[in-house]
Amino acid sequence: MEYTNLGRTGLSVSRLCLGTMNFGPKTTEPDSFAIMDRALEHGFNFFDTANVYGWKTGEGITETIIGNWFAQGGGRREKVVLATKVYGKMQEWPNGQGLSARHIIAEANASLRRLQTDYIDLYQMHHISRTTPWEEIWQAMEVLVAQGKVLYVGSSNFAGWHIAAAQESAKARHFLGLVAEQCIYNLMARTVELEVLPAAKQYGLGVIPWSPLHGGLLSGALAKQAAGTAGRSSEGRSAEDLEKHRGAIEQFEKLAAGLGGDPSNVALAWLLAQEAVTAPIIGPRTISQLDSTLGALELQLDQATLDRLDELFPPVGKGGPGPEAWAW
């Protein structure tokens, strides 16, 4: 496993982050335990979750599974840089979601109970709040940091200007502010290159891409379809996108075969080659899926391959950051 600092902090995290969204809905608790144990064996020290994962309002199923795993001891909690999130609906009452001070502090305490830990390493805002002022948000986060319940604060699904507004407000309060942004980023979803990645670089945020395989479309979807083993890529929007981009995906799978690599690992290696990226989030449902991702760390893509991937999956506009991506 390789490690890097999370943004401008001194915190070391693994170059691959274990996503836990499948724990509960698709992966049983015993199997989730086995995946987390294997992740530690491989050197993963960065785990990501959210209070809403499990998708039953207010239950925090995935956090509970992780907490039960921590409770087994053996240094499990001490070895993990734990990231969770706040924003989503956890109660049906009016203050049961969002980024009010009340909701942030209440949900931090609820997450700590479910996770059976005293602190959250990275507490991420799952979405921007369009109704809560930054003064209120930072005051709540400062309380949690002062109490030792939260060590670092991050964002998720923010626009570039949201990052700038957040950081300038934090700076005025002499507070560290955001240290990471978790966003959708992969070969087929490159919008963040316009403004989110430049903002993250300017303010020293590590970038943690979610959906690095674009719902399974970059994991060998056509080959799996032919073999009758397609999962997520055969459902809903993924199935529609597969047909829309079938030509590019077919060429991508041929390119991966020529490199001797699994398509998933090529997609992950491309993200790891991007300067702004700290750690893509991989969300295995099984141990074998987890094991297979390690090949991405050994795959070095040369410039010719990177150029070919740009041809297959072009960046937005002229490529790179705005305004040059759409203007002179």
Side-chain angles (χ1 to χ4, degrees):
M1 181 57 67
E2 300 173 3
Y3 300 90
T4 189
N5 284 25
L6 180 62
R8 67 191 185 282
T9 75
L11 186 67
S12 293
V13 294
S14 48
R15 289 300 318 269
L16 294 175
C17 177
L18 179 67
T20 61
M21 191 168 66
N22 289 319
F23 295 178
K26 295 186 177 181
T27 305
T28 65
E29 182 167 298
D31 287 346
S32 299
F33 284 11
I35 289 172
M36 288 187 280
D37 282 336
R38 180 66 66 87
L40 288 186
E41 291 174 13
H42 286 315
F44 284 76
N45 78 331
F46 196 12
F47 290 17
D48 177 75
T49 191
N51 60 351
V52 293
Y53 288 174
W55 311 115
K56 292 185 178 180
T57 302
E59 294 191 16
I61 293 169
T62 303
E63 285 188 333
T64 299
I65 290 173
I66 296 170
N68 291 340
W69 180 73
F70 283 151
Q72 295 179 98
R76 286 175 171 82
R77 176 64 187 99
E78 292 76 13
K79 294 174 182 176
V80 170
V81 174
L82 175 65
T84 191
K85 308 182 191 76
V86 60
Y87 177 87
K89 182 185 287 188
M90 294 298 285
Q91 298 177 27
E92 295 297 338
W93 287 85
N95 290 306
Q97 66 182 55
L99 294 179
S100 68
R102 170 175 170 158
H103 187 66
I104 288 172
I105 291 175
E107 283 307 310
N109 287 322
S111 288
L112 289 170
R113 288 193 295 271
R114 287 189 292 266
L115 291 163
Q116 300 187 52
T117 185
D118 297 326
Y119 65 99
I120 296 162
D121 293 283
L122 178 63
Y123 201 36
Q124 303 162 110
M125 292 170 270
H126 211 159
H127 194 278
I128 191 70
S129 172
R130 303 188 187 280
T131 59
T132 312
W134 280 111
E135 291 81 2
E136 179 178 353
I137 292 171
W138 286 136
Q139 180 173 288
M141 293 297 186
E142 287 166 5
V143 168
L144 293 171
V145 170
Q147 292 174 339
K149 295 178 179 179
V150 167
L151 304 187
Y152 302 93
V153 181
S155 58
S156 182
N157 306 307
F158 275 29
W161 77 271
H162 296 142
I163 292 172
Q167 292 304 83
E168 292 303 321
S169 177
K171 181 179 178 181
R173 301 175 69 91
H174 305 288
F175 187 61
L176 184 62
L178 302 174
V179 304
E181 159 63 15
Q182 184 177 144
C183 53
I184 183 169
Y185 186 31
N186 58 60
L187 278 165
M188 297 179 69
R190 300 180 61 171
T191 305
V192 293
E193 292 174 348
L194 296 175
E195 299 199 22
V196 175
L197 300 192
K201 181 178 179 181
Q202 174 68 25
Y203 287 103
L205 277 63
V207 174
I208 312 167
W210 60 266
S211 194
L213 305 180
H214 205 69
L217 295 186
L218 297 169
S219 66
L222 291 176
K224 292 176 181 177
Q225 190 179 70
T229 59
R232 291 181 63 192
S233 61
S234 65
E235 304 169 354
R237 185 180 299 176
S238 291
E240 296 174 8
D241 284 347
L242 179 59
E243 290 308 311
K244 181 179 178 180
H245 300 283
R246 177 176 287 270
I249 294 171
E250 182 177 348
Q251 292 301 312
F252 171 69
E253 293 185 12
K254 288 181 179 179
L255 183 151
L259 294 173
D262 181 279
S264 299
N265 288 339
V266 174
L268 289 171
W270 179 82
L271 278 172
L272 290 168
Q274 305 308 306
E275 180 184 1
V277 170
T278 297
I281 298 173
I282 54 106
R285 296 188 302 276
T286 65
I287 285 181
S288 63
Q289 288 179 346
L290 172 69
D291 291 343
S292 69
T293 63
L294 296 179
L297 298 170
E298 302 170 358
L299 191 57
Q300 298 295 320
L301 305 181
D302 61 23
Q303 191 58 51
T305 301
L306 294 172
D307 291 343
R308 177 57 177 155
L309 290 171
D310 277 345
E311 292 175 3
L312 294 176
F313 304 106
V316 181
K318 301 172 187 176
E324 291 86 356
W326 60 80
W328 50 270

